[in-house]
Amino acid sequence: MVSDAVTVAREEASPSLEGPRRALPAILPVAMAIVSSVSLLLLVQTSGMTTTGYEVKRLEQEREDWQQANYQLAAEVAYLKSLPRIEKEATSRLRMVPATDYLFVSVAKSPEVSGDGDPPLVQTKRPTVGRDDGWSQELLDWLGSALGLRDR
Amino acid sequence: MSRESKIERWRLAVIILILAGSAVGLVLRLGYLQTVEHDSFVKLAAAEHWGKQEIVPHRGTIRDRNGYVLATTVTTFDVLVDPKASLTPDKIAKTASLIAPLVKLPLDQVRSALQSKGDKPALLAAEVPYETGSQIAKMQLAGIEARKVTKRVYPEGNLAAPLIGFVGRDQRGLTGLEADFNRELMGKPGTLVYERDTVGEEIPLGYREESRPQEGADVVMTIDRFIQRLVETELDKAMKKHNSSSATVIVMEVKTGAILAVANRPSFDLTKPNLEDNSKVNLFRIASITDMYEPGSIFKVFTMAAALEEKLVTPATPFKCTGVVYKNGWAIRNWNGAAHGNETMTDVLKNSCNIGTVWVGDLLGADRFYKYVKNFGFGQRTYIELEGEASGQVRTNKSGGWAAIDLAANAFGQGISVTPLQLVTAFGALGNGGKLMRPYVVRQVVDGGGTRDFDPVVVRRVLSEDTARTLTKMMNVSGELGTGNLASVPGYRIAGKSGTAQISLKGGYTGDTSVAGFAGFAPLADPRVVILVRVDEPKDIPWGSSVAAPLFKNIMEQTLLYLRVPPTEPGKVGKPAW
C-alpha cells in the first residue's frame, strides 16, 4: 500500500516539476539581467556619490581659496589706504608739503549741506567773536548774493 | 613497560602539558584583552579609524573709529625646499624653472637651494601670497613644500602698538586689545570628524560631520588713526628734543569719555616683539593705565574745584602768599621759591601757587577734600575695558599713618599717585559740566550675529555745572601769562593746567629729575577734547609749562583742525588769502 502511494505521488509530481525546468532557461537570463541592472545602478550611484563627494571637496577648497583671496585683498586695500602710504604718495609723487598755516573762512550755508550729515568741511556759521567786515568779507557777501547763495 | 616507553610517555605528557598551558594562557590573555583592556582598545581603534580636526576661524580685524584697519589676519605660504628629496639634475632644473617665477626669485637661487644638502627643509620664500602658494601646493613637486602660515598684519605700522598688542604663534592674543578681546576676535573653532583609511586619509564616502567655525568678530576702537599718528609723531619729536626717558599722551573726547589717542614712548615693533629680552617686556604694557605717578600741580584744579563747589571760595577770594607755610614741622614753598603776595583764587591757579592751594586744602578739611578726590575717581579703577589697570594710591585721613602734612601735600598733587588715564578722565569732567565719564577704548564689536555697541557711561556728577563753568574760566590759558601760556592755541580759548612733579622714591624724592605735565581741554565754550601730556625726566628743562605745554599746544591745534572745530578767537578766522 505504501509503495503504491509513493508511485502515485511520483506520478502526480512529475508533470508539475517539468514546468520550472522548462521555464529555467527563460528565468535565468531575466534574473541575471535584474541582478546586473541592480549592480550597475548601485555602481552608478556609488560612482556618482564619489564624484559628488570629490566635487563638494573641490568646491569647499575653492570657497576657501576665494575667502583667503578676499582677506588678502582687504589687507591690500587697507595698506593702500593707510596713512604712511598716503603720506608717501603725497610727498614723493604729488610733491605736497604739510600745511603750516590755515584759515577758516565763512561761507553761506547751502541747502545741500544742511541736515544731519557729517560736519561740513568749512565753517557754515560766521562766529560772532572776531568778525572781520573788511573788503574780503564784502567781496564774499557780494559773490554769495550774486550766486543766489544768500540774501544781501 | 620498558624504560624507553616510559620516557616517551613522559615526554608526551610534558608536551601536552606545555601545549595545554599555552592554550590556557592564550585564552586567558584573550579574555583579558576582551574584558579588562576592552575600552582602551576600542579607543585606540577609534583613534585609528576616526580623524578629528579643528577648523580655526579667521581672526577678526581691529579697526579705528572710522573703520580703518589697524590689525588684520591674512594667510600666506612659506615655500621650503626639502634636501632629502635627492632630485636628479634634470628634475632640479625643471622644478626650478617652474618655481622661480612663482616665488619671484632668480632661477639660479632656486636651483642652488634645491641642490643644497641638509637634514631639515630650508626656507626658500616667506610670505608668498595665498593664491601663488596654493598653486605651488597643488603642483605637488618633489622637494618643494608649501606650508600655510597665518599672519597678523598692521597696515598702519606700529600705530598704538601697546594698545593693540600682539598675538602668539597660535594666533591667540598675548597683550593689549588682542588679549583683552581675544574671545571676540578669535571666534569659535569648528570641528571636522571623518572616517579615515589605513594611511590616515579621509575616506571619500565615509562618515563626515563638520561644524563650521564662527569667524572672529571685528573690534572697532574709539581711537582715531589720524590723531593717534599725530600724537605719536609729536611725542617722538618732544622725546628727542628734551632727551626724556619716557612720555605719555592721552586724547579723550570730553562729552563721551571715548579715547581718541593714547600713546606711550618708548614703544615696540608689533611685527617683531622681543619676548626674550626681559628689559623690553615693560614696553608691552599700556603705561597710561598701568603706571602711577604723582601728578604735581595739575592736581591743584581738583582742590580748587572742591572748594568752589563747597562755596568756600570764589574766583575773586583774596589770599596773601608769603612764600612759605609750615605743616608738621615741614616747610612748604612755591615751585620757584617766590612769594606771590596778594592773589585771588584765579591767580593761585595761574601762578600755580603751592601756598595758596595748601590754604584752600585747609579750608576744605580732610573729610571734604578726600570725598572729592574719591568722587573724581582717584584711588580706584576707571573700569576701562583693558586689563592691568592700576587704581592709584590715595592715603586718606581714614588710612593708617596719615598726617596733616599729607593733606597739604595732596592738595598740590604730591604724596598721591594716579594713573594718566585717571587724571585725564577727571580733567575731562571739568570740561563736561562736572559729569565724570567712564573712559572707553572700544566702541563696537561686529560679528556675524550683529553689532554690540558700547555707549558712553556717566559715572557720576562730581561738580555742578556752575562750578565747572567757573573753574573752566579760571583755567583759561589763552593769551594769559600764567604757567600754561605756551599751551595757547591761536584762535581758540583753552582751559588747562601745567604740573611739574617730583619723582618719588622710597622715603623721598629724586633731586634732579621731574615729570613735566600738562592737562587741558578746548574750546572753552564747548569743550570737545581733553588732552593729558606727561614727559618723564626731561634733561634740558624740568617744568611742565615749558616741556609739556608746547607739546599740548601742537597736538591740540592740529586735533581741533582735524575735527573741524571752528576757531572762536581772532587769528584764524575770516581772512581769506584771495
Side-chain angles (χ1 to χ4, degrees), chain B residues 116-369:
Chain B
S116 63
K117 306 283 176 208
D119 293 331
K120 290 177 183 172
L123 186 71
L124 178 67
E127 295 170 23
V128 174
Y130 186 88
E131 212 177 337
T132 313
S134 187
Q135 193 184 337
I136 294 170
K138 279 174 194 160
M139 288 162 93
Q140 293 187 324
L141 296 167
I144 295 287
E145 191 186 338
R147 276 186 202 162
K148 257 187 198 177
V149 182
T150 308
K151 194 184 154 205
R152 203 74 170 146
V153 292
Y154 307 93
E156 298 288 340
N158 291 318
L159 203 70
L163 181 62
I164 291 173
F166 54 87
V167 296
R169 282 184 188 165
D170 58 356
Q171 291 297 300
R172 285 173 199 271
L174 296 178
T175 65
L177 271 187
E178 294 277 22
D180 296 336
F181 281 78
N182 186 57
R183 205 179 56 179
E184 287 83 356
L185 285 163
M186 209 179 149
K188 280 186 187 158
T191 48
L192 172 65
V193 180
Y194 58 92
E195 274 186 287
R196 56 186 184 184
D197 58 20
T198 47
V199 290
E201 291 292 320
E202 186 182 346
I203 300 170
L205 283 173
Y207 179 81
R208 189 175 208 269
E209 192 182 311
E210 184 181 346
S211 69
R212 292 296 304 160
Q214 188 184 315
E215 303 292 8
D218 284 3
V219 172
V220 184
M221 297 167 80
T222 58
I223 296 293
D224 187 298
R225 66 169 186 163
F226 181 88
I227 302 174
Q228 181 71 33
R229 192 155 190 263
L230 159 72
V231 164
E232 293 190 6
T233 309
E234 290 296 332
L235 208 50
D236 286 336
K237 280 188 214 165
M239 287 271 292
K240 199 175 171 189
K241 185 179 174 187
H242 302 292
N243 194 18
S244 61
S245 61
S246 56
T248 298
V249 170
I250 305 177
V251 182
M252 181 192 272
E253 208 169 48
V254 170
K255 290 189 172 62
T256 61
I259 307 283
L260 299 176
V262 55
N264 306 116
R265 285 292 185 269
S267 188
F268 65 96
D269 185 349
L270 274 169
T271 55
K272 291 176 220 148
N274 188 348
L275 295 166
E276 285 162 10
D277 188 350
N278 279 338
S279 65
K280 307 273 184 204
V281 172
N282 278 344
L283 302 179
F284 304 148
R285 287 195 333 258
I286 308 167
S288 314
I289 66 160
T290 59
D291 291 10
M292 300 183 293
Y293 74 118
E294 293 194 2
S297 296
I298 293 175
F299 206 80
K300 286 171 183 164
V301 295
F302 304 111
T303 307
M304 193 62 78
L308 286 169
E309 181 72 4
E310 293 291 328
K311 313 238 181 285
L312 298 170
V313 294
T314 67
T317 302
F319 171 74
K320 187 170 183 180
C321 171
T322 55
V324 66
V325 64
Y326 293 93
K327 290 280 173 185
N328 288 86
W330 292 84
I332 297 171
R333 297 179 197 281
N334 278 321
W335 59 279
N336 54 0
H340 295 124
N342 290 324
E343 295 177 300
T344 62
M345 289 300 108
T346 306
D347 296 330
V348 166
L349 282 185
K350 203 190 292 174
N351 298 331
S352 199
C353 179
N354 289 349
I355 315 302
T357 315
V358 170
W359 179 76
V360 174
D362 283 342
L363 281 181
L364 274 165
D367 285 342
R368 280 191 291 202
F369 175 76

Side-chain angles (χ1 to χ4, degrees), chain B residues 347-421:
Chain B
D347 296 330
V348 166
L349 282 185
K350 203 190 292 174
N351 298 331
S352 199
C353 179
N354 289 349
I355 315 302
T357 315
V358 170
W359 179 76
V360 174
D362 283 342
L363 281 181
L364 274 165
D367 285 342
R368 280 191 291 202
F369 175 76
Y370 290 113
K371 184 187 89 179
Y372 279 93
V373 167
K374 193 184 168 196
N375 283 349
F376 271 113
F378 298 111
Q380 57 206 290
R381 289 176 58 197
T382 63
Y383 292 102
I384 193 170
E385 313 95 315
L386 302 166
E387 286 295 317
E389 187 189 5
S391 55
Q393 283 181 345
V394 180
R395 187 163 62 179
T396 70
N397 54 336
K398 307 280 191 298
S399 317
W402 182 86
I405 181 71
D406 286 325
L407 173 62
N410 292 170
F412 59 90
Q414 282 199 349
I416 189 167
S417 293
V418 303
T419 64
L421 184 69

Side-chain angles (χ1 to χ4, degrees), chain A residues 54-68:
Chain A
Y54 278 117
E55 183 67 6
V56 167
K57 237 179 152 181
R58 189 187 66 76
L59 286 170
E60 274 178 354
Q61 184 57 46
E62 203 173 313
R63 182 187 63 177
E64 171 72 8
D65 288 352
W66 283 116
Q67 212 163 24
Q68 294 300 338

